[in-house]
């Protein structure tokens, strides 16, 4: 395995150069980015990709639930104001340059051989690829759960970092744009398990990058206050409870970590009690 890994670095660099050419070449003149060191090219690519993903996913989702399906999913008096959404956008845009450092540093460390990542599925085979990815996702779930929980339990972390996100604590203040409205360090800490996992388990690096950016879509989804009622998925119904009680539903994609560690609160049970 170590012998085969010795040739991975060049493949990672080739992939990075390809992604940079695709994204930067589409939005900037070649002269504006070609002379930059690869690290800064990669950061710029991640920044452009992050901003585009944030606005495209947020705008499309807001249009769908607040205008096209007006009063179907969200009652009129629960639709967040434009002012609230603009504030969320402002917080997210101030943090975005810092968010993009994490995948950039991860990519640099991967190119220089510090992580266990592999560049091609054929390096390990499909079965190992799937098994490694499943283990990676379990580690990420566990890590994000505890990182998020400690951001609540450790008072200085909550006061100086996570409270920035929890000013959105009612249905009419939560929107898809709140998904990335964090203090920069808070957002980086919550995404850190993705990067730390690269040092623990072999994972296809392109899959890792894709999952990092899928986070942007997922966080928009779980802040829309619409309970999708898909069992075991930590959707918006669960996350809205988190924003109102502060002590439940710290999990990420699934309910399993909250179930195991005693912090799960089911939105359907809450609805039953209300009736």
């Amino acid at each position: 395995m170590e012998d085969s890994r010795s040739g991975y670095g060049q493949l990672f660099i080739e992939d990075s150069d390809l992604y940079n050419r695709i994204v930067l070449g589409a939005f900037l003149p070649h002269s504006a980015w070609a002379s930059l060191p690869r690290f800064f090219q990669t950061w710029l690519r991640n920044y452009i990709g992050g901003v585009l993903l944030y606005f495209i996913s947020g705008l499309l989702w807001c249009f769908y639930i607040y205008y096209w399906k007006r009063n179907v999913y969200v009652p009129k008096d629960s639709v967040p104001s434009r002012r609230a959404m603009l504030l969320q956008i402002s917080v997210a845009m101030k943090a975005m340059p810092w968010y993009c450092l994490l995948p950039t540093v991860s990519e640099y460390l991967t190119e220089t051989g510090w992580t266990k990542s592999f560049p091609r599925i054929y390096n390990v085979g499909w079965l190992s690829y799937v098994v490694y990815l499943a283990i990676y996702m379990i580690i990420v779930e566990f890590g994000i759960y505890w990182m998020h929980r400690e951001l609540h339990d450790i008072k200085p972390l909550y006061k100086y970092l996570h409270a920035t996100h929890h000013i959105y604590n009612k249905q009419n203040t939560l929107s898809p744009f709140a998904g990335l409205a964090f203090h920069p360090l808070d957002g980086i800490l919550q995404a850190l398990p993705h990067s730390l996992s690269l040092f623990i388990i072999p994972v296809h690096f392109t899959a890792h990058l894709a999952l990092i950016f899928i986070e942007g879509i997922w966080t928009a989804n779980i802040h829309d206050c619409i309970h999708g009622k898909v069992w075991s998925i930590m959707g918006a119904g669960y996350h809205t409870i988190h924003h109102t009680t502060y002590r439940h539903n710290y999990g990420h994609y699934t309910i399993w970590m909250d179930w195991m560690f005693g912090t799960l609160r089911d939105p359907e049970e809450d609805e039953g009690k209300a009736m």
Side-chain angles (χ1 to χ4, degrees):
M1 183 69 172
E2 290 301 321
D3 290 340
S4 64
R5 289 185 61 81
S6 62
Y8 286 180
Q10 186 57 40
L11 290 173
F12 287 129
I13 289 170
E14 290 173 5
D15 288 347
S16 178
D17 287 342
L18 174 63
Y19 303 150
N20 291 345
R21 286 197 303 271
I22 291 171
V23 175
L24 301 180
F27 294 97
L28 297 171
H30 188 265
S31 59
W33 60 270
S35 61
L36 294 174
R38 179 180 293 105
F39 183 90
F40 292 105
Q41 288 185 21
T42 301
W43 174 85
L44 187 57
R45 175 246 293 170
N46 288 332
Y47 178 74
I48 291 173
V51 169
L52 284 173
L53 191 67
Y54 177 73
F55 279 106
I56 291 171
S57 61
L59 287 169
L60 286 177
W61 200 235
C62 285
F63 174 77
Y64 179 75
I65 63 176
Y66 299 147
Y67 296 99
W68 191 9
K69 296 292 185 179
R70 185 188 298 268
N71 293 326
V72 175
Y73 296 115
V74 180
K76 186 178 180 180
D77 60 355
S78 295
V79 174
S81 66
R82 290 184 182 178
R83 184 176 180 276
M85 287 190 280
L86 287 172
L87 176 60
Q88 292 159 10
I89 291 169
S90 174
V91 173
M93 286 300 97
K94 289 175 183 176
M96 188 68 75
W98 301 101
Y99 293 163
C100 295
L101 275 175
L102 183 63
T104 304
V105 170
S106 297
E107 196 159 337
Y108 172 77
L109 292 174
T110 297
E111 290 173 4
T112 51
W114 286 91
T115 73
K116 293 180 178 290
S117 302
F118 54 90
R120 303 288 185 268
I121 294 174
Y122 63 70
N123 296 137
V124 298
W126 276 100
L127 178 60
S128 294
Y129 167 77
V130 172
V131 171
Y132 287 148
L133 189 61
I135 297 171
Y136 168 86
M137 292 303 298
I138 292 169
I139 294 171
V140 167
E141 281 284 314
F142 179 85
I144 291 178
Y145 171 87
W146 279 106
M147 186 66 76
H148 190 184
R149 185 167 173 174
E150 293 310 304
L151 282 162
H152 280 265
D153 290 347
I154 299 174
K155 298 308 179 186
L157 291 182
Y158 183 83
K159 180 178 179 180
Y160 295 109
L161 299 182
H162 200 49
T164 299
H165 184 65
H166 270 277
I167 63 171
Y168 317 112
N169 56 9
K170 297 181 177 64
Q171 188 169 356
N172 62 0
T173 62
L174 285 165
S175 84
F177 288 116
L180 292 179
F182 292 91
H183 184 286
L185 185 54
D186 182 358
I188 289 171
L189 286 172
Q190 293 202 58
L192 192 60
H194 276 283
S195 295
L196 293 179
S197 297
L198 299 178
F199 297 89
I200 300 170
I201 188 78
V203 67
H204 186 224
F205 191 73
T206 300
H208 160 79
L209 282 181
L211 287 166
I212 284 283
F213 281 90
I214 287 170
E215 293 282 354
I217 299 173
W218 181 248
T219 57
N221 177 268
I222 64 173
H223 288 87
D224 64 14
C225 300
I226 301 170
H227 181 33
K229 299 183 180 181
V230 180
W231 184 78
S232 84
I233 301 299
M234 181 64 73
Y238 289 96
H239 198 69
T240 302
I241 288 174
H242 172 75
H243 271 266
T244 54
T245 71
Y246 304 98
R247 308 304 301 173
H248 301 90
N249 303 349
Y250 300 102
H252 191 48
Y253 288 121
T254 73
I255 66 172
W256 295 116
M257 294 300 160
D258 283 282
W259 177 75
M260 283 194 294
F261 296 111
T263 53
L264 182 65
R265 183 163 166 179
D266 192 323
E268 293 190 27
E269 291 181 5
D270 277 15
E271 288 176 9
K273 291 176 183 176
M275 294 173 65

